Each structure stands twice: as structure tokens, then as C-alpha cells.
Amino acid sequence: MLGATGIGLLALIIPLAQTIRWAPEFVGYNLNENQEATEPTDYWGEWEDHTFHPSPTNWRFPFYVLTIDRYVDGDPTNNEANGTVFEHNWMTNQFRFGGDLKGIETNLDYIQGMGMKGIYLTGSPFLNMPWSGDGFGPLDFTLLDKHHGAIEDWRALITEIHRRDMYVIFENTMATMGNLMSFEHYVNASTPFRWEEHNFLWKHKDRRYHDFQPGNDYNYSCEYPRMWGQDGYPIPHDVISQMRGCKDSEFDQDQYGDIKGTGAYPAWRSQLSNFASVQDRLREWRDDVFDKIKVMSCIQIAMLDIDGFRMDKALQTTPDKLAEFAAWQRQCAREHGKDNFLVVGEVVGDPKLAAVYIGRGRQPDMIESNVTAALSASNTTNSSSYIREFGLGALDGAAFHYDIYGAMTRFLGLDGPWGAYGVDWVEHWSKLVSNNDYVNSETGIMDPRDMFGMTGQDVFRWPALANGTQKQLLGFMVTQLELPGIPLIIYGEEQGSYILENQANDYVFGRTPMASQRAWQLHGCYHLGQTVYVDIPFNSSGYGCVDDSVSLDHRDPSHPIRNVLKRMYELRRQYPTLNDGYNLITLSNRTYDIFLPGSEGLPSPFGIWSVYRGRTPGVQDFAGIAKGNQGVWFVYHNDNKTIDYQFDCASTNRSAPLVSAFPAGTVVKNLFYPYEELLLEASTFTYGKSCDLEHQIVLTKDL
């Protein structure tokens, strides 16, 4: 919480002697309304005379991901809220665009009309640097960013979202803050890791964090938290033996050194390092620091009636403290009428490490290899199968699942090191179920809530590539319909957004505003390249500066991609198995492998797949709900060319026929336009399992 007067919100410029925990000039923006509070653990605020919106019983509905600043500018008067020249400039795409809460509220018809029921707002809602529109460098954890709107604007938006039977989750950076600190002797250089840590320096003599204090004194009795490695096991003794004391500081990662990004280093080092040299990290595993963080997060629930958190850089947080944090927030939510508060997180790391964070956590020696048994797990399952006790689930799921995304890049023909688990989505699902604890920490029942999508705020836009729109549509069928979990898209995907705006070739992304603007066209011819994939086929992204449509408004309710997504979400409502069915079966496939030069020996399979999705008998029963237990047959191929497949139904070779989910003589119908019908012939194969045949349906998609 900001405690200063002077030039206001620019950068927490304060006299060091003044530490005002509440100030009248920030009323309406400060979530802390306790005027008597002298310590952050005493901060509090609550929405008075308000009936809090209950949680949904089922979170598996479509989510729309949007960055507030890059959506719609509904109130231009807050564009220069800090009164500087570093905030809004119509000629550049590197400052703020001006999107705000009023811009979202006036466009809820557009969002809901697509079939969306959840909204995830990326970036912290709190004070950031004047030019920082993405929100991932908060300077405070209770003072709202004036560029977005005041407390009453937040409440108006969230009330309207809830009135529509929709839900909203906030970004929570937990231990990640802004960029006010540097290392002694390394002010303008990357800092090497050292267990003894580095002395900190303030980058600016008058800019400080108010609620958290760094220190350079050494504490030889410091006790480190439990940590796990990328292999999913506790870190070895040779690492633990080096943990001999630490700085007496409330900041952690800023003093051990820098890392380029998560996933490229041992997990313990990621949890003890400054992210990308630009984000100061709190020592969340210190109890006094944690006590502040958990109270400040609970205030968000009490003041704004939010429905969940997405934890940024979740794997940089130590697992036990993240689990304790999630349990605390769920309790806070229950006290405000929410009994199924969602806690998902950004998960970038080996799947074996990710499993430590999902639910109660599992090590590789704890996995349940029997998928049916894993799907039958509950709060009473043998506790020796998990790291933590029931109720201490760290994450309910991964938000924008990077393992699935990595496999998707290989499935759609890109040449890079991602996708080590292959591109068979049935095998992926089986591994996720076996390795992760998906039991709901509140209800005690199986409840997978991984969020699957094609694009996030930190990766490229598929339509930027040659044939990218077609690739994106095929990926949508997998992520929005085939995989059991929560479907999500990021704003602009439904409009075929393709502009890229990054300034480093190892971090490629596009965040074009939805409303009309000029800067993204002026800077819309991308030629920086990238470093992850070999010969990535950039195409339209190189010509955006001559495409006048880039400068226009992008809220076209008739856009073909938007209509395809709308149809997908309609199907999820019509067929419960498409929304909640856990049973995913490969019926047959005809594929071949190629080995691309940049894939480090990983094969890239291409061909055609026949897959069934339905309920898990004995675990699920959708009788009486829409089309009940009716299963769905998926047929799709990923070859980047048209192929006239020939199938021999009389052959005894399993790859010769295209095996269906239904018996011979059944008429199946495509659920997408043109809704053609096909008569199934007899084959020499039967699958031997009931497919809940009530209607005859098939989903098809070509690349």
C-alpha cells in the first residue's frame, strides 16, 4: 500500500522518514480502508452492504483472457493518470494504449455473445510504472492503478459480470514486484548466482516499497524451505549443503542473482533468483513476509468480490507456501460466500515438477499408473500417494497449459525443442491424470481444471504464420473440445489478430488493442525473427504496416473465427461429454514420423487420428442433462496438404480402416458446417467398449 504524498503515483517517491499506511488522497483507489493500521498485517477493507456472488460448482466453461490496457479505452481522462509524458502516446505500441474498466464493461455483450462465461484479467490490478501497461511489475499490493479505474469502477464491472452469471479471476503475482532494486557491482550487468547473495542497492534514491523491506545483514541461522527439482524429487544433498544462512531480508530473489527466465535453470535456482533482471522477488517463504501477502490478497476478495486467482510464475514460488497461500485464500473466500474459489497458475517447467504443485502434489514415485483408478481419486485416497495433506492443494490447474502448447507447436509443424511427450492427445491426457492430483480441495472429488488454449499473452499469434489461421482452427478443436478441462482464448484470437510487437527475438508476442488505433499498424511489419524455432514461417506479420485493417476496430461479431468458436461452445453446452467427459480413447490412427533439424531428435508425427470422447462409466453419469451420455467421435489430420485417404474396412491391419466409435450401419453427422452425413461400413475390428450410442455424431477438422 502506498504511503506517500508528493507527486502521487509516479514511482512511490517518498521521504524515507514518512511511512503513512493510509492517506486521504488515495481514498477510492486504496483497498486498505483501515485508517489505524500501522502494519500491513492490519490492513483491511470490505465491501459493505454487499451480497457476495457464490462460486460456480463447475469451472469447465469458456474463458476469455484480456489485458485491461489493450482492450478498449472507455475513459480517456485516465490515460495520463500519473501526469507524466511516459504513459500514453498514439504513435508507439510500447507505452499504454489506454484500455480501462469502463471499456470492458461496455463490451460485455460482445464477450458474452461468443459463449464466454469466465474472464481472466492478465496483469496485476495494482500500481505499476507509468508506462507499464501489462501490469506484471506491481509496486504495491493494495493501491489500484488509476489508469484502470477506481474501486467503484471495479465494483461496477464485477457486479455486471456477475449479473450475467459470469465470473472473473485476477492475476496474483504473490512474490513478484516491480524493478526498484539492483545488485552491488552489477547495476548495469547480469548478476551471477551466489549462495552468499549480493548486497542490494536502490536504483533511485527516493523510490521505495513501503510494505516490504530488503536488508544486507546476514542471518546464519536462516532456514530454507523444502524445494523440489525438475525431476519432481526433493533437491539433493549437494544443493542443500550449500544453504548455510541467508540475508536478513524480506526480498529473496533480488539478492541471489539473475536468471533469463523460468524453465531454463534448476527449479531451486529459479526460486532464488531475480526474474529476467527486471522483477524484484519477495522471500515469500519467510513467515513475516507471507503473513503480509496473504492478508493483502484476501482484501481483494473482500473488497471486489472476485472469483479466483491466476498465480503468475507459480513455479518460482516454493510449493509449501503456495499451498498454504491457496488454503488461506479459499478460507477467505468461504467467509465471503464462495465455496469453490479457483486458484490456477502459470506453470513453466518439467511436467514432473509441475505435478508437485497441482493439488496435493505428486512425485514420480507417487503416480497412479491406472488411469481409471486415478479418475476415481478423492479426498479419501491413500495419503501416501501425495506430498501434502488434503486441503493443501497448491494449484487447481495450469493456466494456459504450456506442455500442451509445446506439443501443439510440434503437432502443427513447427521445428523446435518443445513437445517431448509427443502429439497424441489421448496419451497426454492419460499422463496428466496419472501424474497430477486433480481432486478439488473443497469438494474432495475429481475435478480437472487445467486451462487449455492456443495462445497466451507471452507467445506468438498463430495467424502471423503461413497457413496460421488454419493451424489455429485445428488447434482450437483440440484445446476447446477434445481435451478435458477449461477452454480459453486470449482476446483477438477470435478476430485473427496477427501483429507482433516484441522487442527481443527470444520473447515473441502480440497484444494488439481491440479498439481502433494507429501505432500497431505503424510498427506492424515484423522482421526481428525469433530464436526458439528453426525456420518458423512468419508471413502476414511482416506486412502489417501496409494492412489498413490493423488500425480499425476489431470487435466484429460476424468474424468467421468468432463464429467457429461460438459453435464450439454451443456444442459444449449441448453435449455434456464435450464439457466434462473424462474418457478419451484413440480408436485408430494412420501416421508417419519426420525428424526436423531443430527438434533435437524428437519425431513430428503427421497423419490422421480417430478419437472418442465420452463419460467415464462408474465415475460420471450425465443422464437427464442436455444430450446426456452421448459420446463424440473426433476425426482430424495435421498434414499441411490435402490428402484423399483410402481406408480398407475389410483389412486385418489396424491402420487400414478408420475405426469409428459406433457400429456398422450407423449414420454419423458432422457437427460443423456443412453437417454432412456418412454411413458406417463394417470392419474386422470392434473396440469392445460401450460408446453410449444415442445419436450419431462426428467432429471433423482438416488442416
Side-chain angles (χ1 to χ4, degrees), residues 135-195:
F136 285 98
L139 304 173
D140 195 87
F141 284 160
T142 61
L143 186 63
L144 295 170
D145 192 329
K146 277 192 173 183
H147 295 89
H148 299 155
I151 291 173
E152 290 308 313
D153 297 316
W154 277 106
R155 289 174 172 176
L157 170 63
I158 292 172
T159 296
E160 180 58 22
I161 289 172
H162 287 159
R163 187 190 68 81
R164 295 167 179 261
D165 195 27
M166 298 169 67
Y167 302 87
V168 60
I169 65 173
F170 272 20
E171 195 84 64
N172 192 311
T173 61
M174 187 166 176
T176 302
M177 299 197 75
N179 186 21
L180 301 184
M181 303 165 68
S182 63
F183 305 100
E184 189 176 43
H185 308 306
Y186 297 95
V187 174
N188 292 309
S190 294
T191 311
F193 182 89
R194 53 177 289 188
W195 282 108

Side-chain angles (χ1 to χ4, degrees), residues 63-94:
F63 260 81
Y64 193 64
V65 181
L66 65 87
T67 301
I68 299 172
D69 177 71
R70 296 299 172 83
Y71 207 65
V72 176
D73 187 358
D75 181 11
T77 64
N78 59 28
N79 289 352
E80 283 89 18
N82 294 139
T84 76
V85 296
F86 306 111
E87 297 167 66
H88 174 78
N89 187 320
W90 71 274
M91 293 286 286
T92 178
N93 61 9
Q94 298 301 307

